[in-house]
Structures are given as structure tokens and as C-alpha cells.
Amino acid sequence: MHKLDNKLTQQIADWLNTPEADRDVRAGADLMLSLNRNRALYNSILRRPDKFMAKLVYELRKFLRMRLDAATAADAAKLEREVMPRVEKSLAHPTISSDDELPDAQVAKGKRPDHDSLPADIRALWDTNGQLYRRIVLLFNELKAMADEKPCDRYEKLCILDEADKSYRANFERYDSFVAPADADSPEAGDPVAPAELTDSTDNVVKAVGAARKRISTYVKRVSDLDPDDPKRLDLISKIQSAVDVILSSGSDVSESTKQKLQALGISFQ
């Protein structure tokens, strides 16, 4: 794996942490150019920093996030080689869906004969996976359509798809392995059996969703305080969309009132 230049990573972080009014535009553009070699965008930023500042911030944050995760382009490509084949296997055995756009998923494959007699939380795993299946299909097809783009541009969606698929598999592991109590006085007998790593994965998804909801609340408030023409709005709205994607990829959702508020900002729930 290519060894990252920690000094460059720190320079990016320092630039982003500098108050906007004190940022050296050329220094930021030079950092970006060293990362993406996009001379056309570099020149545009220097000519019209007022117009392209949000794009510069977006690009530097994207690369900083990858570098802090030790994710070079090669790492992103490696993640893709691991995730896409695994997801393809998941999609080969669809769960139920009420979505007419996915007719293959309307057949209930793998549903337990005793489904209706299972505890509510175990039955809910089946319903949650129906939503997760649709989200995984959409992400999987979106990534396939991005085949000509750079791995680093696909990295974030690959991470979301990876977590969604792990959650999908963990849910089925719990659903399939659940054993009904042999004795009503022995609730321990009915505890779901799941490998520790799958339980950890589910816990991570729950934490990620909670963090995403907090980010949405924070960023929506910031957006409401900004002038409609403020370039910082674009960056904040991009962050909100990423947080929404995390929530949807987990099979969760937001309230109808919140959804309407976010859609008014241009957030997509597809």
C-alpha cells in the first residue's frame, strides 16, 4: 500500500480548520492540485474564489477523510473488489419487497414457516431487510454506473454499501438462528444466536445512524442561519445528504416532517 505523506495530511487539516476569513485561497488550491491534478478547477478557483470556494472545501475534505482512513485510491479499489462480489451474492437471494421496480424481490425467499409466531423484534428483522434490500440494489447499481469514475470518488458510497450489506447479513443471521424458548419460564432459551462480529457490526450501524441524525440536526440549523447565496450552504447540504444516505442504507428512516424540511433543501431520499 502506498505510504501516505502525514505532513500533507496535516497541512490539509490545518487549512480546513482555519477560519474562512483567514484562509489562503492559493495555498488551499495548491493542496488540492497536489491531490487531484485538476488544473482546470485550480485555475477556476484562483480566478473566482468567491464562486468556487465551496468546491475547494469539498475536495479537500473528501481527500482528508480518505487520508485519515488511510484510504488511498488503491485501498478504495481493494474495498470495491471485496464489497461488490459479496453484495452480488446477497442480491442473488432477495428478500421481500413491495416495490414494483424490483419485481424479483416480491417473492418471499427464506421466510420462516413460523414467522408469524416469532417475537416482534425478530419479525421486524425481516421487514427491515426488505427495506435494506431495496437500498442495497440502488447503491449497487449506482456504483456499477460509476465504473468510469476514480475509485476515490466511489469510496464513500462503497463504505455505505459495505455497512448496509453487513447489516443485511447480520439481520438474517439473527432471524434464521433464532430459537423459540422451550419453556415460557426460560426466556434465555429464545435468545438469538449470532456471531460476535455480526453483533458488533449491527451495533456499529446503530451508532452510525445515531451520529447521522445528530449531524442532520446540527447542519440544518446552520443552513437556516445562512443567506441563500452563501457558498457554505452547498457544503452543508452535501453533508446532510451524506448523513441521510447513512440512515437510509441502514434500513432506517426519518420522520415525515423532517423529510419534508430536508426535501425543501434539495435532499434526495431515493
Side-chain angles (χ1 to χ4, degrees):
M1 180 176 71
H2 175 65
K3 185 176 181 180
L4 293 177
D5 181 349
N6 292 329
K7 182 179 179 180
L8 176 58
T9 301
Q10 187 60 54
Q11 288 175 333
I12 299 170
D14 289 344
W15 191 92
L16 289 170
N17 289 329
T18 300
E20 184 176 354
D22 299 330
R23 286 173 178 166
D24 184 329
V25 176
R26 179 176 290 276
D30 287 343
L31 288 171
M32 183 205 71
L33 183 63
S34 71
L35 294 164
N36 64 12
R37 305 298 180 185
N38 190 333
R39 177 68 64 174
L41 177 57
Y42 174 82
N43 291 334
S44 295
I45 292 170
L46 295 184
R47 284 196 301 266
R48 293 288 307 278
D50 56 327
K51 180 178 180 180
F52 291 95
M53 178 60 74
K55 178 63 174 174
L56 171 59
V57 170
Y58 170 81
E59 288 294 320
L60 289 179
R61 280 189 174 145
K62 177 179 71 175
F63 281 104
L64 178 62
R65 184 167 58 248
M66 289 183 62
R67 294 176 75 84
L68 292 178
D69 288 340
T72 62
D75 296 321
K78 179 175 181 291
L79 178 64
E80 181 170 351
R81 290 194 297 271
E82 294 173 353
V83 172
M84 295 297 276
R86 168 161 44 84
V87 171
E88 191 167 15
K89 291 180 180 178
S90 296
L91 297 182
H93 303 284
T95 182
I96 56 173
S97 171
S98 59
D99 192 337
D100 292 338
E101 295 178 2
L102 301 172
D104 291 342
Q106 292 184 15
V107 179
K109 297 181 179 179
K111 195 171 189 179
R112 292 173 56 144
D114 61 346
H115 177 84
D116 293 338
S117 65
L118 295 172
D121 61 322
I122 302 301
R123 294 199 307 272
L125 294 172
W126 178 266
D127 296 330
T128 296
N129 267 11
Q131 300 171 29
L132 268 177
Y133 178 83
R134 181 177 186 277
R135 185 64 179 164
I136 290 170
V137 168
L138 293 175
L139 281 167
F140 182 75
N141 289 333
E142 186 174 357
L143 280 161
K144 287 174 65 177
M146 295 171 64
D148 294 333
E149 298 190 25
K150 295 179 181 178
C152 60
D153 293 327
R154 300 156 56 85
Y155 180 71
E156 189 165 355
K157 289 187 183 295
L158 279 166
C159 289
I160 295 172
L161 179 61
D162 185 29
E163 286 299 325
D165 184 63
K166 287 177 179 176
S167 180
Y168 180 81
R169 287 167 174 261
N171 286 347
F172 264 132
E173 178 68 24
R174 290 186 60 208
Y175 178 83
D176 291 340
S177 62
F178 177 80
V179 178
D183 188 328
D185 295 328
S186 303
E188 293 83 359
D191 288 344
V193 179
E197 64 271 17
L198 292 178
T199 301
D200 291 342
S201 175
T202 302
D203 290 342
N204 289 338
V205 171
V206 171
K207 291 178 182 178
V209 169
R213 293 188 190 280
K214 289 181 181 179
R215 289 199 300 273
I216 289 173
S217 177
T218 298
Y219 296 149
V220 166
K221 184 178 185 306
R222 291 183 186 174
V223 167
S224 66
D225 293 337
L226 294 175
D227 185 87
D229 296 326
D230 193 318
K232 288 190 291 186
R233 280 176 58 89
L234 179 63
D235 184 48
L236 288 174
I237 289 174
S238 175
K239 290 181 179 180
I240 294 172
Q241 182 67 68
S242 295
V244 167
D245 288 343
V246 170
I247 293 173
L248 296 179
S249 71
S250 73
S252 302
D253 207 344
V254 300
S255 67
E256 190 59 35
S257 60
T258 299
K259 181 178 294 186
Q260 292 176 4
K261 183 186 299 184
L262 296 181
Q263 287 175 329
L265 294 174
I267 300 301
S268 171
F269 284 81
Q270 299 298 319

